[in-house]
């Protein structure tokens, strides 16, 4: 089954709503806590990225008994250098964002670490779509 | 199941079936059924929020009365540190200790004394554990129960040591057996409790098979009696075995401060605690070594059995401990003594799941989503469930129907009314044939 979430841009207080809600639902569905944690962390990092860099976007969570597929789509500026962005600690976040405790450059690496498969489609000036698969095992 | 005995219960005659408690319950454990509130036992964590919020005093907590002292040959009072925060101008804990003796207890073992030992044991435990791991206090039974049903990943982070009250019960009984020669069952360890959670935990203790506490009397039941004898107690000059550290456990931050680390967090109030646990679960809380969580506002001084306002209590506690030495109790050994440790493991209770069979849970979730989108989303509680989503879940679990929602019902009644008015407009059944009309047409 599919759950949909809109992520508002520039509102840090609401980042985490989607991952928080999905976490509750996965608990109700009886997923093991290790799987729920990975989904929750991966999705939260994605949400934060969408808020910081892309002025929000849309999340689709496709869930079945074997796996959870997360699609995070935005119409933001795109990622200029994915390889750099995947490195621990690399960040282009503004000082303002860093002062809020974000922008440590662990977003994408954390998403990669917590998912079994990740693919990123990005085009400068058009937007980014991140797809993550987390297996129920 | 013996593990689900709670001290929070309902006085049916007083319950009006209003929605105050169902909306306040942090685990959505209450429904209104046939006009009366009902607590779902497996979900209740004994926080006492419903007792706090019920305007009709229909939610009550059961604990023993003072006559429980007659059940034992030798009785020991175990006063919680928060008890010292209930009185005006109390010069020191020793006056309360003496007051309890005057009231008829044969001995007093302060929970604050045991708390100092738990503080010392915690420092030793932290020294011996993974420095990157965040340890969560297990002193508040509501928090431990909440973790058990809602945060399975964090069970391993709970401090696996006895609560100060349990340790006090254990040490007090051992001391009394030594001194009196009486068998364990003739000696009553009676905890004077600030809250419902600690009262229930003697029936289903966390981390041990059987509680060391034999009975619980609430602070408010002891309060009026104690006030009457405090003047007399002041003259006899009793002895207190607790220092500042132990007494400080009575309010939020006291346990954490005793650990001599800057890297501790103290949160109080159940909703705030849930927020912290959520952050921890998502690994967002870094570089914090110890997390002290108290379900009641202000810590134990905010328990539902206390008499004084928790913020005023806090000030009173500060003045009671002012002239005490930092601490009076330490563990001589370098290691945490085995008898301080949990003897049984805590197991996750997946009470939130829709069904243990995942396929079934998915089918139920589809239905919950469908129903939720049909419901008005006002979360008014009139149906007896705390929110529209919980109603949808209750329907799917077979405990309610869509018509329980007054808005769904209104729409249905409206639909029926529309049909009726349509019928009344055209009239019912056949109409007589008008021969004249037919004749006119044939002309």
């Amino acid at each position: 089954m599919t759950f949909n979430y809109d992520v508002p841009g520039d509102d840090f207080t609401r980042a985490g709503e989607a991952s928080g809600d999905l976490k509750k639902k996965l608990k109700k569905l009886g997923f093991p806590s290790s799987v729920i944690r990975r989904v929750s962390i991966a999705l939260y990092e994605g949400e934060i990225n969408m808020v910081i860099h892309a002025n929000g976007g849309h999340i689709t969570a496709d869930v079945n008994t074997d796996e959870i597929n997360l699609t995070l789509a935005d119409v933001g500026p795109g990622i200029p250098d994915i390889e750099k962005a995947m490195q621990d600690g690399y960040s282009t976040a503004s000082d303002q964002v860093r002062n809020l405790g974000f922008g440590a450059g662990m977003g994408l690496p954390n998403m990669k670490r917590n998912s079994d498969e990740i693919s990123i489609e990005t085009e400068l000036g058009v937007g980014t779509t991140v797809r993550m698969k987390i297996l129920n095992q | 199941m013996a593990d689900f005995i709670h001290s929070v219960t309902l006085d049916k005659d007083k319950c009006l079936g209003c929605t105050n408690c169902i909306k306040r319950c942090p685990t959505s454990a209450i429904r209104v059924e046939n006009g009366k509130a009902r607590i779902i036992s497996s979900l209740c964590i004994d926080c006492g929020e419903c007792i706090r919020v019920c305007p009709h005093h229909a939610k009550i907590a059961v604990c023993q009365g003072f006559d429980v002292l007659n059940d034992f040959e030798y009785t020991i009072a175990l006063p919680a540190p928060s008890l010292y925060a209930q009185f005006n101008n109390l010069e020191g804990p020793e006056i309360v200790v003496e007051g309890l003796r005057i009231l008829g207890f044969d001995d007093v073992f302060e929970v604050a004394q045991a708390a100092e030992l738990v503080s010392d044991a915690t420092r030793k435990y932290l020294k011996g554990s993974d420095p990157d791991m965040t340890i969560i206090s297990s002193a508040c039974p509501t928090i431990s129960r909440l973790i058990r049903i809602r945060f399975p990943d964090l069970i391993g982070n709970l401090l696996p040591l006895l609560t100060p009250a349990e340790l006090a019960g254990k040490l007090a009984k051992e001391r009394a057996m030594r001194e009196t020669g009486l068998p364990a069952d003739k000696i009553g360890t009676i905890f004077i409790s600030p809250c419902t959670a600690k009262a229930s935990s003697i029936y289903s203790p966390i981390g041990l098979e059987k509680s060391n506490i034999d009975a619980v009397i609430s602070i408010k039941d002891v309060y009026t009696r104690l006030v009457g004898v405090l003047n007399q107690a002041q003259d006899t000059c009793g002895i207190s075995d607790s220092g500042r550290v132990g007494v400080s456990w009575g309010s939020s931050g006291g346990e954490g401060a005793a650990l001599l680390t800057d890297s501790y967090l103290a949160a109080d109030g159940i909703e705030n605690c849930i927020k912290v646990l959520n952050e921890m679960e998502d690994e967002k809380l870094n570089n914090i070594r110890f997390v002290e969580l108290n379900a009641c506002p202000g810590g134990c001084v905010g328990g539902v059995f206390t008499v004084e306002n928790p913020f005023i209590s806090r000030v009173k506690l500060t003045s009671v401990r002012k002239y005490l030495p930092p601490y009076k109790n330490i563990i001589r050994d370098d290691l945490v003594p085995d008898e301080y440790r949990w003897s049984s493991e805590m197991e996750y209770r997946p009470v939130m799941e829709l069904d243990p069979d995942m396929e079934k849970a998915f089918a139920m979730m589809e239905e919950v989503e469908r129903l939720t989108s049909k419901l008005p989303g006002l979360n008014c509680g009139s149906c007896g469930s705390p929110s529209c989503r919980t109603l949808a879940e209750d329907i799917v679990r077979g405990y309610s129907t869509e018509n329980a929602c007054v808005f769904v019902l209104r729409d249905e009644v409206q639909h029926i009314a529309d049909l009726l008015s349509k019928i009344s407009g055209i009239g019912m059944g056949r109409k007589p044939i008008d021969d004249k009309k037919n004749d006119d047409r044939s002309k």
Side-chain angles (χ1 to χ4, degrees):
Chain A
M1 64 188 309
T2 309
F3 303 105
N4 287 292
Y5 303 98
D6 279 319
V7 180
D10 264 345
D11 187 352
F12 280 99
T13 59
R14 289 188 55 191
E17 276 184 8
S19 52
D21 185 76
L22 187 63
K23 183 161 92 172
K24 269 188 207 156
K25 286 177 169 145
L26 296 180
K27 278 187 187 179
K28 296 261 178 202
L29 288 168
F31 279 92
S33 57
S34 55
V35 174
I36 297 175
R37 191 182 58 233
R38 295 176 71 210
V39 172
S40 188
I41 294 171
L43 187 56
Y44 177 75
E45 294 288 5
E47 272 185 273
I48 289 287
N49 277 351
M50 288 165 104
V51 171
I52 294 177
H53 300 291
N55 199 26
H58 187 82
I59 294 171
T60 310
D62 244 315
V63 184
N64 61 51
T65 51
D66 298 324
E67 58 191 43
I68 293 120
N69 287 291
L70 303 169
T71 308
L72 293 77
D74 67 58
V75 286
I79 306 169
D81 189 339
I82 292 196
E83 257 176 54
K84 258 193 188 166
M86 293 302 279
Q87 287 167 13
D88 283 4
Y90 177 80
S91 174
T92 57
S94 65
D95 284 349
Q96 185 205 348
V97 166
R98 282 171 200 262
N99 283 337
L100 287 165
F102 300 101
M106 293 307 288
L108 277 170
N110 252 342
M111 288 159 76
K112 191 177 175 198
R113 204 167 296 135
N114 285 291
S115 52
D116 292 292
E117 278 173 36
I118 184 166
S119 74
I120 303 169
E121 276 168 42
T122 185
E123 197 176 328
L124 288 182
V126 177
T128 303
T129 300
V130 179
R131 290 190 179 81
M132 290 182 281
K133 186 192 286 293
I134 290 118
L135 300 174
N136 179 22
Q137 56 185 17
Chain B
M1 203 194 284
D3 263 5
F4 287 139
I5 294 175
H6 299 290
S7 60
V8 179
T9 135
L10 182 79
D11 181 343
K12 277 210 162 146
D13 295 335
K14 286 187 181 165
C15 178
L16 296 187
C18 72
T19 59
N20 282 295
C21 61
I22 60 171
K23 300 196 68 72
R24 181 71 160 265
C25 176
T27 55
S28 301
I30 315 175
R31 304 288 185 274
V32 176
E33 271 177 18
N34 301 320
K36 302 285 173 193
R38 208 200 103 165
I39 302 171
I40 302 168
S41 181
S42 61
L43 292 171
C44 175
I45 53 172
D46 283 296
C47 64
E49 287 294 316
C50 53
I51 299 179
R52 236 189 276 280
V53 77
C54 178
H56 314 293
H57 306 288
K59 282 280 167 41
I60 40 173
V62 186
C63 46
Q64 282 87 0
F66 232 80
D67 46 5
V68 75
L69 269 73
N70 302 327
D71 294 354
F72 303 95
E73 255 177 57
Y74 189 87
T75 54
I76 313 161
L78 314 170
S82 42
L83 178 63
Y84 309 135
Q86 306 302 313
F87 309 96
N88 289 326
N89 309 316
L90 186 72
E91 282 168 20
E94 65 280 359
I95 297 164
V96 170
V97 170
E98 190 57 28
L100 290 166
R101 284 178 193 274
I102 296 171
L103 289 182
F105 289 97
D106 297 302
D107 191 11
V108 179
F109 195 109
E110 293 170 83
V111 173
Q113 183 185 351
E116 292 189 348
L117 293 168
V118 175
S119 286
D120 200 14
T122 309
R123 288 193 292 266
K124 295 181 198 310
Y125 180 86
L126 288 177
K127 213 183 260 177
S129 68
D130 175 1
D132 292 330
M133 187 162 173
T134 305
I135 302 296
I136 307 169
S137 161
S138 59
C140 175
T142 285
I143 297 299
S144 300
R145 289 193 189 113
L146 176 70
I147 289 174
R148 180 168 63 184
I149 63 166
R150 211 167 133 178
F151 298 97
D153 267 354
L154 301 177
I155 289 177
N157 296 68
L158 272 171
L159 180 72
L161 301 181
L162 297 188
T163 63
E166 280 296 340
L167 184 65
K170 184 180 166 62
L171 298 176
K173 190 162 265 194
E174 286 168 2
R175 181 168 82 185
M177 285 166 75
R178 270 196 315 273
E179 287 176 1
T180 65
L182 287 168
D185 61 329
K186 302 275 186 209
I187 300 165
T189 45
I190 299 161
F191 178 48
I192 298 168
S193 177
C195 70
T196 47
K198 291 187 166 87
S200 334
S201 73
I202 74 163
Y203 303 110
S204 45
I206 284 158
L208 67 169
E209 293 294 330
K210 193 183 167 298
S211 174
N212 299 301
I213 298 164
D214 297 305
V216 176
I217 303 181
S218 69
I219 282 186
K220 64 182 167 77
D221 283 348
V222 172
Y223 177 76
T224 32
R225 289 165 195 258
L226 257 181
V227 165
V229 300
L230 283 187
N231 271 341
Q232 191 190 336
Q234 207 142 14
D235 301 335
T236 21
C237 187
I239 297 167
S240 162
D241 291 317
S242 34
R244 228 179 293 159
V245 163
V247 172
S248 301
W249 272 67
S251 67
S252 178
E255 181 189 3
L259 298 176
L260 309 175
T261 165
D262 291 334
S263 163
Y264 76 88
L265 171 162
D268 54 281
I270 186 79
E271 293 302 335
N272 295 329
C273 293
I274 290 173
K275 277 184 196 152
V276 171
L277 291 169
N278 263 320
E279 298 261 314
M280 272 192 82
E281 196 180 42
D282 292 345
E283 298 179 3
K284 285 181 221 157
L285 202 72
N286 300 315
N287 308 319
I288 303 267
R289 190 69 176 106
F290 191 81
V291 171
E292 175 191 336
L293 300 175
N294 288 288
C296 294
C300 296
V301 288
V304 283
F305 287 156
T306 59
V307 179
E308 186 56 278
N309 164 317
F311 301 97
I312 296 169
S313 299
R314 226 185 144 88
V315 180
K316 289 185 176 175
L317 207 58
T318 311
S319 81
V320 171
R321 70 182 172 216
K322 202 154 107 190
Y323 297 113
L324 296 178
Y327 56 87
K328 292 185 182 172
N329 305 275
I330 50 159
I331 301 167
R332 305 252 167 244
D333 214 347
D334 280 343
L335 298 168
V336 179
D338 279 344
E339 57 174 2
Y340 284 46
R341 290 178 185 269
W342 283 0
S343 51
S344 64
E345 301 252 321
M346 183 196 271
E347 270 176 30
Y348 171 45
R349 295 207 175 143
V351 290
M352 301 285 178
E353 282 176 10
L354 287 169
D355 197 279
D357 176 351
M358 219 173 178
E359 301 274 353
K360 271 190 200 151
F362 265 86
M364 288 167 87
M365 179 64 91
E366 297 262 8
E367 188 59 9
V368 169
E369 291 293 315
R370 189 187 68 79
L371 287 166
T372 308
S373 68
K374 275 178 72 183
L375 294 169
L378 296 173
N379 300 331
C380 68
S382 305
C383 61
S385 301
S387 67
C388 294
R389 176 162 271 276
T390 1
L391 173 61
E393 278 187 33
D394 287 348
I395 296 170
V396 171
R397 289 180 199 262
Y399 297 132
S400 194
T401 58
E402 276 181 73
N403 285 347
C405 171
V406 289
F407 297 94
V408 170
L409 190 64
R410 188 188 63 185
D411 288 349
E412 278 178 24
V413 170
Q414 184 66 54
H415 179 64
I416 294 167
D418 287 350
L419 280 179
L420 282 174
S421 72
K422 220 173 178 180
I423 290 167
S424 68
I426 24 175
M428 280 180 79
R430 288 181 60 88
K431 287 180 183 169
I433 294 166
D434 186 349
D435 279 336
K436 195 166 172 270
K437 219 182 203 171
N438 282 341
D439 289 350
D440 288 348
R441 267 187 217 150
S442 61
K443 275 177 192 169

